[in-house]
Amino acid sequence: MSNTVSIKYFSGYIRNYKSLCAELGIDAGLSREKREEEILKAAFVRWGMDMMSRMYGMFAFAIFDGDTEKLYCVRDQVGQKQMFYSVCGGKFLCSGDIDELASDSRYEKHLNMRMLQQYLFYGFPIGDETFYEGIKKLMPGHYVVWDGKTAEVYRYFKPEFEPDYSKNADDWAKEIEDVVEEILGEERGDAELPYKESFLSGGVDSSYLFAASDAVQANTVGYSDEGFDESALARQTAEILGKKFGVKMITPEEYFERIPVVIDKIGQPLGDASAVAFSIGCKAVKEHADVVYSGEGIDEFFGGYNAHKRVLPEDWTYLTCSHIMSEDYVRSIMLGFDENVKAVQPVERLWSEVQPLDDLNRKLVIDISLWLEGDIYLNTDRTSTACGIELHTPFSDLRLFDVARRIPAEYKFREEQNKYVFRKAAASKLPDEIAFRKKVGFPVPVRKWLSDEKFNKPIADKLFGETSRKFFNQDEIKKLWTSYLNGDTVLWSRVYAIYAFLIWYDLKFS
């Protein structure tokens, strides 16, 4: 049967390839490309779609079974790699690059206005729809089967939290340490990837990853603007660990010049301003490294955001940690507002499923399922790939989630400390001053730069240009822009999200 199975698409990295090769009788010394192809085929033949529960890493792939003449299109459990699909003229198209589908001659390109409305609510393309009518996003933990006539979507994984109260904080910290060592041991053991570097901010996640990994150099971005620059903290961490350190200082001119490039490569609008900084960082690192570690996943697995601590009224639905515009506001600003498109729609099914959980874990399921994949991984996967970087996110490994999902909430938040037991684990590799440092995040001065007349003329030109007049109430856009310039800086995220959409539309539809 294995001779009738073929791989039509693969993007990613199978981290536990050695154990899989041993179990499946595959020569682990094959080239990486051939090895991964053989693993996928042999695993499919032996386990069918249960193969995903045995594979650790990041992946999106399409596998064809010649015996049944079915194509299986798969995305990893938390969505580290992108996957999109469409049925056009009786043909099934799939790719991790949405532009590949949107530019296919068989696809007739139309803007999905429903997604524009949802995007304005959230600031990122949420859920399984995309900005292209007729192109769907395969959600994390799902696969789609094409039998030549119809495409059926199945869910093979969902993040489930089941607190285990039999262990104390020290026990959980030790289990985290052991799993981190197992995961990074596999990374170190890959002879085809002998040289790696790491991204490093001032926070505990990237610091622990850098300390525990085989990365030889840390890299970060910095700014001259006080209050936004984490490079001094990152440098301090690298010096304590005795490893090399590099920083790319970003100017406002470079940042604004890079925005259209990033929006183009991401493929859909994204209101996350950190994507541009991350892209500039990737471009700089590419000069001396091809494989780079990054610490995504921990905040969503262990509860790292302030939104995770806030108590919601009982009748509220948690609309992810990134909800930037209310329905009333979107109604006022968007021409053609559709009353049938509600902000709650991408969330409500999941929210109903997680009601038996405690307040923290309900929020974590929503953020893992929608925000992590729809914003964070969309940003990091597409921007790093566009720069020629292979980004490894070991802390997104399912084995670490399996620990996180069993840890009671009181060990994730203790007093004002978030990710408490994860920090205890990190303290095995880091000084306490770093392991228990208050979360800084990845701040970008664009919120300040947007108001500077030296840089913001192109932004104003877009906000009040021809494309904007197609989609937005210009009186309301003027109110937004004026209020922001007059000091209501919290509005920056709305301005940036609208600006990002307008850039994307002009790039893809003009």
Side-chain angles (χ1 to χ4, degrees), residues 182-203:
E182 178 184 359
I183 293 166
L184 291 176
E186 290 172 347
E187 292 271 359
R188 285 192 295 270
D190 190 341
E192 280 199 48
L193 302 173
Y195 180 83
K196 306 185 192 78
E197 296 188 7
S198 188
F199 287 117
L200 180 64
S201 69

Side-chain angles (χ1 to χ4, degrees), residues 75-334:
R75 190 175 179 199
D76 70 59
Q77 290 91 341
V78 292
Q80 297 164 82
K81 303 299 291 184
Q82 303 296 302
M83 180 59 87
F84 304 93
Y85 67 95
S86 182
V87 178
C88 306
K91 300 294 184 181
F92 182 83
L93 312 176
C94 68
S95 175
D97 183 351
I98 196 170
D99 286 335
E100 186 176 326
L101 302 189
S103 62
D104 192 287
S105 61
R106 291 165 290 187
Y107 172 72
E108 188 174 344
K109 192 183 332 185
H110 294 288
L111 177 68
N112 181 356
M113 290 293 289
R114 295 183 305 279
M115 177 48 72
L116 172 57
Q117 194 163 318
Q118 293 287 7
Y119 168 79
L120 294 173
F121 295 145
Y122 289 94
F124 65 95
I126 189 170
D128 66 349
E129 290 199 51
T130 72
F131 271 88
Y132 294 103
E133 198 74 63
I135 297 180
K136 303 282 279 186
K137 176 172 62 179
L138 186 61
M139 295 298 286
H142 286 69
Y143 64 90
V144 57
V145 182
W146 170 251
D147 64 5
K149 296 180 180 178
T150 60
E152 294 289 339
V153 178
Y154 300 89
R155 183 182 186 183
Y156 72 88
F157 171 84
K158 59 182 178 180
E160 295 180 309
F161 287 83
E162 299 176 322
D164 176 359
Y165 296 94
S166 67
K167 299 180 180 182
N168 61 31
D170 290 334
D171 295 332
W172 287 120
K174 181 62 169 64
E175 187 168 350
I176 292 168
E177 289 176 49
D178 291 344
V179 171
V180 165
E181 178 55 35
E182 178 184 359
I183 293 166
L184 291 176
E186 290 172 347
E187 292 271 359
R188 285 192 295 270
D190 190 341
E192 280 199 48
L193 302 173
Y195 180 83
K196 306 185 192 78
E197 296 188 7
S198 188
F199 287 117
L200 180 64
S201 69
V204 62
D205 306 350
S206 60
S207 297
Y208 185 18
L209 176 58
F210 184 47
S213 75
D214 56 338
V216 299
Q217 176 170 321
N219 302 276
T220 195
V221 296
Y223 313 95
S224 61
D225 302 70
E226 291 185 11
F228 294 94
D229 185 35
E230 292 186 60
S231 63
L233 293 175
R235 182 184 298 277
Q236 179 188 59
T237 301
E239 289 175 349
I240 288 171
L241 296 174
K243 294 189 179 185
K244 292 191 292 184
F245 178 76
V247 58
K248 166 63 180 173
M249 299 302 292
I250 299 177
T251 64
E253 294 85 353
E254 185 176 20
Y255 183 92
F256 283 110
E257 183 180 347
R258 190 72 177 174
I259 293 176
V261 176
V262 173
I263 296 299
D264 182 32
K265 296 302 183 182
I266 286 177
Q268 295 193 84
L270 182 62
D272 187 342
S274 69
V276 180
F278 190 77
S279 175
I280 294 171
C282 285
K283 181 182 177 184
V285 172
K286 178 60 180 174
E287 295 178 4
H288 40 82
D290 295 321
V291 182
V292 185
Y293 291 125
S294 192
E296 282 75 26
I298 295 302
D299 285 325
E300 293 78 13
F301 290 0
F302 289 87
Y305 300 124
N306 288 332
H308 294 154
K309 292 189 284 189
R310 298 189 191 109
V311 177
L312 289 178
E314 288 188 9
D315 58 341
W316 282 31
T317 299
Y318 178 68
L319 300 179
T320 81
C321 61
S322 177
H323 182 219
I324 64 172
M325 301 187 204
S326 68
E327 286 191 4
D328 286 343
Y329 189 80
V330 175
R331 183 184 292 106
S332 72
I333 206 168
M334 180 180 171

Side-chain angles (χ1 to χ4, degrees), residues 468-479:
S468 182
R469 292 193 293 272
K470 291 180 182 178
F471 297 103
F472 301 112
N473 181 324
Q474 292 299 290
D475 290 338
E476 294 298 327
I477 290 289
K478 186 175 182 179
K479 288 181 186 178

Side-chain angles (χ1 to χ4, degrees), residues 45-62:
V45 169
R46 182 175 296 189
W47 300 308
M49 285 295 96
D50 287 340
M51 64 189 286
M52 278 81 75
S53 65
R54 299 166 181 266
M55 288 170 45
Y56 298 117
M58 54 184 183
F59 49 83
F61 62 88

